[in-house]
Amino acid sequence: AQSVTQLDSQVPVFEEAPVELRCNYSSSVSVYLFWYVQYPNQGLQLLLKYLSGSTLVKGINGFEAEFNKSQTSFHLRKPSVHISDTAEYFCAVTEVTDKLIFGTGTRLQVFP
Amino acid sequence: DVKVTQSSRYLVKRTGEKVFLECVQDMDHENMFWYRQDPGLGLRLIYFSYDVKMKEKGDIPEGYSVSREKKERFSLILESASTNQTSMYLCASRSPATYEQYFGPGTRLTVT
């Protein structure tokens, strides 16, 4: 069965520092992978997705993620964060069915 | 731009009341979803629908039902609200081309 693990529930970081949010998944077949962001009191917004092709995926707001099939990981990175990146980030996976399986989320807190 | 709207941002109901949460999407998507979001648990799927009048149970359907009479509208029903249903409820519709799910802004339901 599919599952998604986000290893860090909270990540504190100073403004302009780099950040990595970790995501591992379990699946025995090919998957599609997503990162969503949720700003306070809002719904989820897609940051980026991996469907096929290049394993390095670029998304909105300067974020990128790398799909690593051998390590079943899809870590999210940004080289320099801004205060406005403070939000909750969710990794999700689907085995090309209709259901998305979400991780429990990582709260990124950016300090000035 | 895909738009998913939810009927209320905030809702307060009493224990035992019947509660209707409405969701409307404007992209003619066949697949729609209802999730609940709780701190530390991420998003959990309640019900989803492949098409009009079709529904499937998700991971936590107990205490909920759904209705899909028109393609653009997917309703979540709490037959008899209980305090443990206090939560954030998120609706989404899915693109058949990219598998991306588009989310509404959420309804924060409090049952007293």
Side-chain angles (χ1 to χ4, degrees):
Chain A
Q2 301 171 75
S3 67
V4 178
T5 301
Q6 291 183 244
L7 296 164
D8 305 299
S9 60
Q10 295 189 61
V11 173
V13 64
F14 286 108
E15 196 172 19
E16 298 183 7
V19 70
E20 179 180 83
L21 306 184
R22 296 180 292 170
C23 173
N24 287 88
Y25 68 92
S26 66
S27 174
S28 57
V29 299
S30 296
V31 296
Y32 292 171
L33 295 151
F34 304 82
W35 274 100
Y36 284 85
V37 60
Q38 185 179 35
Y39 299 105
N41 298 314
Q42 294 187 28
L44 275 67
Q45 176 185 358
L46 184 72
L47 267 181
L48 49 79
K49 58 181 179 281
Y50 172 79
L51 303 181
S52 65
S54 172
T55 57
L56 183 62
V57 180
K58 293 191 184 298
I60 62 172
N61 301 340
F63 283 93
E64 62 180 34
E66 184 150 23
F67 170 54
N68 188 319
K69 189 174 181 179
S70 62
Q71 297 189 4
T72 59
S73 68
F74 191 54
H75 300 334
L76 181 71
R77 301 186 185 99
K78 187 169 182 178
S80 176
V81 294
H82 190 267
I83 294 282
S84 60
D85 293 321
T86 293
E88 189 145 23
Y89 293 79
F90 292 93
C91 181
V93 62
T94 181
E95 289 180 350
V96 197
T97 64
D98 292 297
K99 292 166 63 170
L100 264 184
I101 305 300
F102 286 86
T104 52
T106 297
R107 186 169 298 278
L108 176 64
Q109 180 74 51
V110 181
F111 295 95
Chain B
D1 270 359
V2 174
K3 203 162 187 78
V4 180
T5 57
Q6 295 184 230
S7 50
S8 305
R9 292 299 305 274
Y10 300 93
L11 210 52
V12 180
K13 295 291 182 181
R14 293 192 181 276
T15 301
E17 279 193 83
K18 191 168 187 175
V19 182
F20 293 87
L21 303 183
E22 304 282 336
C23 175
V24 178
Q25 51 98 0
D26 66 357
M27 279 299 291
D28 203 37
H29 289 163
E30 291 181 344
N31 293 355
M32 296 185 73
F33 305 80
W34 274 107
Y35 297 90
R36 67 177 279 176
Q37 181 183 11
D38 300 289
L41 298 178
L43 275 74
R44 293 180 292 167
L45 182 63
I46 304 171
Y47 267 97
F48 60 106
S49 170
Y50 289 107
D51 206 342
V52 175
K53 296 193 186 298
M54 297 182 70
K55 60 187 179 184
E56 293 281 344
K57 291 180 180 179
D59 300 316
I60 52 163
E62 295 79 19
Y64 304 94
S65 62
V66 290
S67 172
R68 185 114 181 255
E69 297 296 318
K70 292 185 177 181
K71 195 172 188 178
E72 67 270 19
R73 189 179 299 268
F74 190 35
S75 302
L76 179 69
I77 303 157
L78 286 66
E79 297 289 344
S80 178
S82 64
T83 55
N84 62 13
Q85 292 179 309
T86 291
S87 187
M88 169 72 91
Y89 290 88
L90 292 163
C91 174
S93 71
R94 194 195 76 160
S95 163
T98 66
Y99 293 90
E100 175 184 350
Q101 291 193 15
Y102 295 85
F103 285 83
T107 296
R108 188 167 294 282
L109 173 68
T110 302
V111 182
T112 60

PDB file of all heavy atoms in Angstrom, chain A residues 4-19:
ATOM      1  N   VAL A   4       3.168   7.912   2.614  1.00  0.00           N
ATOM      2  CA  VAL A   4       4.081   9.035   2.461  1.00  0.00           C
ATOM      3  C   VAL A   4       4.559   9.454   3.840  1.00  0.00           C
ATOM      4  O   VAL A   4       3.742   9.611   4.762  1.00  0.00           O
ATOM      5  CB  VAL A   4       3.378  10.231   1.774  1.00  0.00           C
ATOM      6  CG1 VAL A   4       4.335  11.416   1.673  1.00  0.00           C
ATOM      7  CG2 VAL A   4       2.883   9.839   0.393  1.00  0.00           C
ATOM      8  N   THR A   5       5.856   9.630   3.975  1.00  0.00           N
ATOM      9  CA  THR A   5       6.431  10.044   5.249  1.00  0.00           C
ATOM     10  C   THR A   5       7.150  11.376   5.086  1.00  0.00           C
ATOM     11  O   THR A   5       8.057  11.500   4.247  1.00  0.00           O
ATOM     12  CB  THR A   5       7.441   8.998   5.758  1.00  0.00           C
ATOM     13  OG1 THR A   5       6.784   7.746   5.905  1.00  0.00           O
ATOM     14  CG2 THR A   5       7.998   9.428   7.111  1.00  0.00           C
ATOM     15  N   GLN A   6       6.709  12.337   5.838  1.00  0.00           N
ATOM     16  CA  GLN A   6       7.436  13.604   5.915  1.00  0.00           C
ATOM     17  C   GLN A   6       8.144  13.605   7.270  1.00  0.00           C
ATOM     18  O   GLN A   6       7.505  13.631   8.322  1.00  0.00           O
ATOM     19  CB  GLN A   6       6.480  14.787   5.768  1.00  0.00           C
ATOM     20  CG  GLN A   6       5.916  14.876   4.360  1.00  0.00           C
ATOM     21  CD  GLN A   6       5.027  16.085   4.167  1.00  0.00           C
ATOM     22  OE1 GLN A   6       3.830  15.949   3.920  1.00  0.00           O
ATOM     23  NE2 GLN A   6       5.609  17.268   4.252  1.00  0.00           N
ATOM     24  N   LEU A   7       9.443  13.540   7.212  1.00  0.00           N
ATOM     25  CA  LEU A   7      10.226  13.234   8.398  1.00  0.00           C
ATOM     26  C   LEU A   7      10.246  14.359   9.420  1.00  0.00           C
ATOM     27  O   LEU A   7      10.453  14.118  10.606  1.00  0.00           O
ATOM     28  CB  LEU A   7      11.655  12.877   7.972  1.00  0.00           C
ATOM     29  CG  LEU A   7      11.733  11.613   7.131  1.00  0.00           C
ATOM     30  CD1 LEU A   7      13.067  11.512   6.409  1.00  0.00           C
ATOM     31  CD2 LEU A   7      11.512  10.381   7.998  1.00  0.00           C
ATOM     32  N   ASP A   8      10.032  15.576   8.973  1.00  0.00           N
ATOM     33  CA  ASP A   8      10.107  16.718   9.879  1.00  0.00           C
ATOM     34  C   ASP A   8       8.739  17.376  10.002  1.00  0.00           C
ATOM     35  O   ASP A   8       8.176  17.802   9.003  1.00  0.00           O
ATOM     36  CB  ASP A   8      11.120  17.752   9.358  1.00  0.00           C
ATOM     37  CG  ASP A   8      12.479  17.139   9.120  1.00  0.00           C
ATOM     38  OD1 ASP A   8      13.063  16.636  10.087  1.00  0.00           O
ATOM     39  OD2 ASP A   8      12.932  17.148   7.959  1.00  0.00           O
ATOM     40  N   SER A   9       8.223  17.472  11.197  1.00  0.00           N
ATOM     41  CA  SER A   9       6.930  18.138  11.366  1.00  0.00           C
ATOM     42  C   SER A   9       7.090  19.657  11.349  1.00  0.00           C
ATOM     43  O   SER A   9       6.184  20.372  10.945  1.00  0.00           O
ATOM     44  CB  SER A   9       6.261  17.697  12.660  1.00  0.00           C
ATOM     45  OG  SER A   9       7.087  18.013  13.765  1.00  0.00           O
ATOM     46  N   GLN A  10       8.268  20.129  11.797  1.00  0.00           N
ATOM     47  CA  GLN A  10       8.534  21.567  11.795  1.00  0.00           C
ATOM     48  C   GLN A  10       9.970  21.815  11.365  1.00  0.00           C
ATOM     49  O   GLN A  10      10.877  21.075  11.760  1.00  0.00           O
ATOM     50  CB  GLN A  10       8.331  22.165  13.185  1.00  0.00           C
ATOM     51  CG  GLN A  10       6.910  22.107  13.675  1.00  0.00           C
ATOM     52  CD  GLN A  10       6.719  22.911  14.948  1.00  0.00           C
ATOM     53  OE1 GLN A  10       6.929  24.125  14.950  1.00  0.00           O
ATOM     54  NE2 GLN A  10       6.331  22.256  16.009  1.00  0.00           N
ATOM     55  N   VAL A  11      10.157  22.858  10.556  1.00  0.00           N
ATOM     56  CA  VAL A  11      11.496  23.254  10.142  1.00  0.00           C
ATOM     57  C   VAL A  11      11.639  24.754  10.340  1.00  0.00           C
ATOM     58  O   VAL A  11      11.012  25.537   9.615  1.00  0.00           O
ATOM     59  CB  VAL A  11      11.760  22.884   8.670  1.00  0.00           C
ATOM     60  CG1 VAL A  11      13.098  23.460   8.208  1.00  0.00           C
ATOM     61  CG2 VAL A  11      11.753  21.379   8.483  1.00  0.00           C
ATOM     62  N   PRO A  12      12.414  25.179  11.335  1.00  0.00           N
ATOM     63  CA  PRO A  12      12.689  26.604  11.514  1.00  0.00           C
ATOM     64  C   PRO A  12      13.942  26.993  10.736  1.00  0.00           C
ATOM     65  O   PRO A  12      14.918  26.243  10.712  1.00  0.00           O
ATOM     66  CB  PRO A  12      12.925  26.721  13.018  1.00  0.00           C
ATOM     67  CG  PRO A  12      13.443  25.385  13.414  1.00  0.00           C
ATOM     68  CD  PRO A  12      12.951  24.368  12.423  1.00  0.00           C
ATOM     69  N   VAL A  13      13.918  28.148  10.101  1.00  0.00           N
ATOM     70  CA  VAL A  13      15.067  28.581   9.301  1.00  0.00           C
ATOM     71  C   VAL A  13      15.078  30.107   9.246  1.00  0.00           C
ATOM     72  O   VAL A  13      14.019  30.742   9.326  1.00  0.00           O
ATOM     73  CB  VAL A  13      14.975  27.963   7.883  1.00  0.00           C
ATOM     74  CG1 VAL A  13      13.760  28.465   7.138  1.00  0.00           C
ATOM     75  CG2 VAL A  13      16.242  28.171   7.099  1.00  0.00           C
ATOM     76  N   PHE A  14      16.260  30.671   9.112  1.00  0.00           N
ATOM     77  CA  PHE A  14      16.371  32.117   8.976  1.00  0.00           C
ATOM     78  C   PHE A  14      16.202  32.528   7.518  1.00  0.00           C
ATOM     79  O   PHE A  14      16.520  31.771   6.597  1.00  0.00           O
ATOM     80  CB  PHE A  14      17.714  32.623   9.520  1.00  0.00           C
ATOM     81  CG  PHE A  14      17.791  32.607  11.019  1.00  0.00           C
ATOM     82  CD1 PHE A  14      18.588  31.674  11.673  1.00  0.00           C
ATOM     83  CD2 PHE A  14      17.057  33.499  11.775  1.00  0.00           C
ATOM     84  CE1 PHE A  14      18.658  31.648  13.058  1.00  0.00           C
ATOM     85  CE2 PHE A  14      17.124  33.478  13.160  1.00  0.00           C
ATOM     86  CZ  PHE A  14      17.918  32.546  13.801  1.00  0.00           C
ATOM     87  N   GLU A  15      15.698  33.732   7.351  1.00  0.00           N
ATOM     88  CA  GLU A  15      15.507  34.287   6.011  1.00  0.00           C
ATOM     89  C   GLU A  15      16.824  34.261   5.234  1.00  0.00           C
ATOM     90  O   GLU A  15      17.892  34.475   5.794  1.00  0.00           O
ATOM     91  CB  GLU A  15      14.999  35.715   6.131  1.00  0.00           C
ATOM     92  CG  GLU A  15      14.409  36.274   4.845  1.00  0.00           C
ATOM     93  CD  GLU A  15      13.742  37.626   5.059  1.00  0.00           C
ATOM     94  OE1 GLU A  15      14.037  38.284   6.083  1.00  0.00           O
ATOM     95  OE2 GLU A  15      12.929  38.010   4.216  1.00  0.00           O
ATOM     96  N   GLU A  16      16.718  33.948   3.950  1.00  0.00           N
ATOM     97  CA  GLU A  16      17.815  33.860   2.990  1.00  0.00           C
ATOM     98  C   GLU A  16      18.660  32.604   3.151  1.00  0.00           C
ATOM     99  O   GLU A  16      19.577  32.376   2.366  1.00  0.00           O
ATOM    100  CB  GLU A  16      18.718  35.098   3.020  1.00  0.00           C
ATOM    101  CG  GLU A  16      17.969  36.381   2.645  1.00  0.00           C
ATOM    102  CD  GLU A  16      18.874  37.597   2.602  1.00  0.00           C
ATOM    103  OE1 GLU A  16      20.104  37.417   2.740  1.00  0.00           O
ATOM    104  OE2 GLU A  16      18.363  38.706   2.429  1.00  0.00           O
ATOM    105  N   ALA A  17      18.368  31.769   4.107  1.00  0.00           N
ATOM    106  CA  ALA A  17      19.063  30.481   4.234  1.00  0.00           C
ATOM    107  C   ALA A  17      18.436  29.463   3.297  1.00  0.00           C
ATOM    108  O   ALA A  17      17.268  29.609   2.907  1.00  0.00           O
ATOM    109  CB  ALA A  17      18.983  29.991   5.672  1.00  0.00           C
ATOM    110  N   PRO A  18      19.180  28.414   2.933  1.00  0.00           N
ATOM    111  CA  PRO A  18      18.591  27.332   2.131  1.00  0.00           C
ATOM    112  C   PRO A  18      17.752  26.418   3.011  1.00  0.00           C
ATOM    113  O   PRO A  18      17.938  26.358   4.233  1.00  0.00           O
ATOM    114  CB  PRO A  18      19.819  26.589   1.600  1.00  0.00           C
ATOM    115  CG  PRO A  18      20.860  26.813   2.645  1.00  0.00           C
ATOM    116  CD  PRO A  18      20.595  28.187   3.214  1.00  0.00           C
ATOM    117  N   VAL A  19      16.818  25.708   2.369  1.00  0.00           N
ATOM    118  CA  VAL A  19      15.986  24.782   3.130  1.00  0.00           C
ATOM    119  C   VAL A  19      15.722  23.518   2.309  1.00  0.00           C
ATOM    120  O   VAL A  19      15.672  23.573   1.073  1.00  0.00           O
ATOM    121  CB  VAL A  19      14.638  25.443   3.531  1.00  0.00           C
ATOM    122  CG1 VAL A  19      13.739  25.650   2.327  1.00  0.00           C
ATOM    123  CG2 VAL A  19      13.928  24.635   4.596  1.00  0.00           C
TER     124      VAL A  19
END
